[in-house]
Amino acid sequence: MKLRTKITLLIAFSLLLVLLLFNVITYITVVNMTTTNEIRLLWEAAQPIMSQPGLYSPDRWNRVSWLRPFLSPQSMIRIIDTNSQIHADLHSQDELTQIPAVFSARGFAKKIKTANTLIVYIQTPIIDENNITLGALQIGRKLDTLDEYLRVLVTVLMFTTLGAAFFALMSGMYYTRVILRPIHRLAFIMEVNQQNGVFMQMAIPPYGHHDELGQLVQTFNTMIGKLEHNFNRQKQFLADASHELKTPLTIIESYADLLKRWGGSDTALREEAIEAIQSEAARLRNLTQSLLSLANTEAEGQKLWQTFDLTELVRTTAATLQQTFHRSVHVDNPSIISLYGDPGQIKQLLIILLDNAIKYSQKPIRIQLFKDQRDEDIIILRVIDQGIGVEPTEIPRLFDRFYRVDQARSRETGGSGLGLAIARNIVRLHKGTVTITSSIGAGTQVTVKLPLRYDAHVPHSNDTQTKNSPDSSSEES
């Protein structure tokens, strides 16, 4: 069963239930109001009879002539003694004889539903001047007019209910078609996207931005936008990776072909080919490791997260690189700071930043580590060099995969163009931000802001920021 049919039937059934409940309440209310009014009239009719002297003389009960003036159409007057024996019985309708003749010392009013009609009656005790109960007076009335009214009422309510149910079906079919139209359109667009491999989005009507369907369409469009963005990034990544892998593979293939043809007799050529093949193989290995590292940092997770001494990690990493590259890496007297995160990834982040600074500068490198004065829950890690720098216009692209400011220079230094992309992913996984400021010939300053706790909030800022300053610049990875 289609959703449209389900909604239509549900609306019609719900309306039908409401109407039936309303009809029952209306019917009961009309009956109760009418019978209450009739009973009130019976009590009023009993007052003149109760004032008659013959009512208090049991020997006159069998002579009913004095009661006839009080008998109205479709009514009954009856006198019974304390033993429930009938002594006087005047009635204009035979159905009124169905009223039970049962003595009671208390007055009451009742209604009786027979097969053909509704009867109401009252009963009040007869008490003489000596406070002796002689019997009881009963007055009843057959409500033929009420029966007619009720039949008309039931007929009107029945036709009204059927008409309302039919109208609910028709209007339900129309409105569900209007309401479900965006969903049908959305399903059609999803099918087109699936069959054709496109990223078509759905237009939102001006009046439907804030309702649930509008929110659904907005969510769908946002999802399609992200899928398209990720698809394009993946496509670009594959193209860039293929391009990067093509050069060393071509070199290896060329030198292998030279070895096959001339390497046996030419010692110099053989040594040159072996050295080139070894160099390109090492470059391929480094590039593969960088690609794997980039893929790992893009997969969010906290399996290896822990609280560790960030200050000690910075000092040991700086000392290791200083010893390896024989370069001065100075850490400005930081206080002891603990961080919740992945120490392996944070160390990789620091190595990437220091490796860039070492490659493209000859002067000492400074590392600053301190807490943000405006927010004690945020730490700032800053790597500063006095290297060659880059043009400010190049800074926004430094975090792109495989991007190099100077292709030839990067190949000489062994850069793959993935370092800063990996660094940015590490910072994002730790809910932080990274900014770069640069000036040609003045140096590099890379600033990383990280929350001490994973649930803390780092004010948003762009990944890259251009700033001309004498002591800051940016490097390619």
Side-chain angles (χ1 to χ4, degrees), residues 219-273:
T219 302
F220 172 78
N221 290 342
T222 302
M223 179 189 68
I224 290 297
K226 289 183 178 180
L227 287 176
E228 184 177 14
H229 175 70
N230 291 335
F231 176 80
N232 292 333
R233 287 186 61 189
Q234 182 181 17
K235 186 177 179 180
Q236 182 64 38
F237 175 76
L238 292 176
D240 293 340
S242 300
H243 176 75
E244 292 295 324
L245 293 172
K246 181 179 179 180
T247 301
L249 289 175
T250 302
I251 295 174
I252 291 175
E253 183 181 11
S254 299
Y255 276 100
D257 186 60
L258 286 175
L259 283 176
K260 184 178 180 180
R261 293 184 178 184
W262 315 102
S265 58
D266 192 335
T267 305
L269 177 62
R270 185 169 59 251
E271 291 179 355
E272 179 186 353

Side-chain angles (χ1 to χ4, degrees), residues 2 20-21 68 128 149 159 171 185 233 244 253 334 371 420 424 442:
K2 293 184 178 180
L20 288 176
L21 180 62
R68 291 191 182 278
D128 63 10
Y149 289 160
F159 281 105
S171 60
R185 176 65 178 168
R233 287 186 61 189
E244 292 295 324
E253 183 181 11
K371 290 185 178 181
L420 287 180
R424 180 179 60 179

Side-chain angles (χ1 to χ4, degrees), residues 56 82 125-135:
Y56 301 97
T82 56
I126 302 173
I127 302 174
D128 63 10
E129 58 185 7
N130 296 320
N131 204 24
I132 297 174
T133 303
L134 304 177

Side-chain angles (χ1 to χ4, degrees), residues 343-471:
Q345 290 186 349
I346 298 299
K347 183 175 181 179
Q348 184 181 11
L349 167 67
L350 188 60
I351 290 175
I352 291 172
L353 300 182
L354 290 176
D355 183 63
N356 278 347
I358 291 172
K359 286 178 181 178
Y360 304 111
S361 67
Q362 300 301 323
K363 296 182 180 180
I365 300 167
R366 292 174 52 204
I367 301 177
Q368 296 177 349
L369 180 64
F370 56 92
K371 290 185 178 181
D372 193 340
Q373 295 181 353
R374 293 173 296 181
D375 190 346
E376 292 291 328
D377 290 330
I378 297 176
I379 62 168
I380 297 177
L381 172 64
R382 184 172 291 145
V383 177
I384 305 172
D385 67 57
Q386 302 176 55
I388 57 179
V390 294
E391 293 288 347
T393 55
E394 301 283 350
I395 295 178
R397 299 190 58 191
L398 289 179
F399 291 100
D400 294 344
R401 298 165 175 172
F402 300 109
Y403 178 76
R404 301 184 183 92
V405 176
D406 187 332
Q407 297 287 341
R409 185 180 60 189
S410 297
R411 292 189 185 278
E412 293 175 0
T413 57
S416 63
L418 294 175
L420 287 180
I422 297 173
R424 180 179 60 179
N425 287 339
I426 293 174
V427 173
R428 283 181 174 176
L429 285 179
H430 289 76
K431 287 192 173 182
T433 61
V434 54
T435 58
I436 298 178
T437 56
S438 176
S439 181
I440 290 292
T444 302
Q445 180 172 295
V446 183
T447 302
V448 177
K449 293 185 178 181
L450 297 173
L452 292 176
R453 305 183 312 275
Y454 188 74
D455 57 350
H457 174 70
V458 177
H460 176 73
S461 64
N462 295 328
D463 286 333
T464 58
Q465 174 182 337
T466 302
K467 180 180 179 182
N468 296 324
S469 62
D471 61 345

Side-chain angles (χ1 to χ4, degrees), residues 13 87 93 96 110 170 176 215 233 244 295 337 358 391-392 441 460:
F13 182 72
H87 290 267
Q93 297 285 339
L96 295 172
K110 288 186 178 180
M170 295 298 101
T176 51
Q215 293 176 0
R233 287 186 61 189
E244 292 295 324
I337 298 177
I358 291 172
E391 293 288 347
H460 176 73

Side-chain angles (χ1 to χ4, degrees), residues 44-59:
E44 292 178 357
Q47 298 301 320
I49 300 177
M50 296 296 293
S51 63
Q52 296 298 314
L55 184 64
Y56 301 97
S57 301
D59 55 346

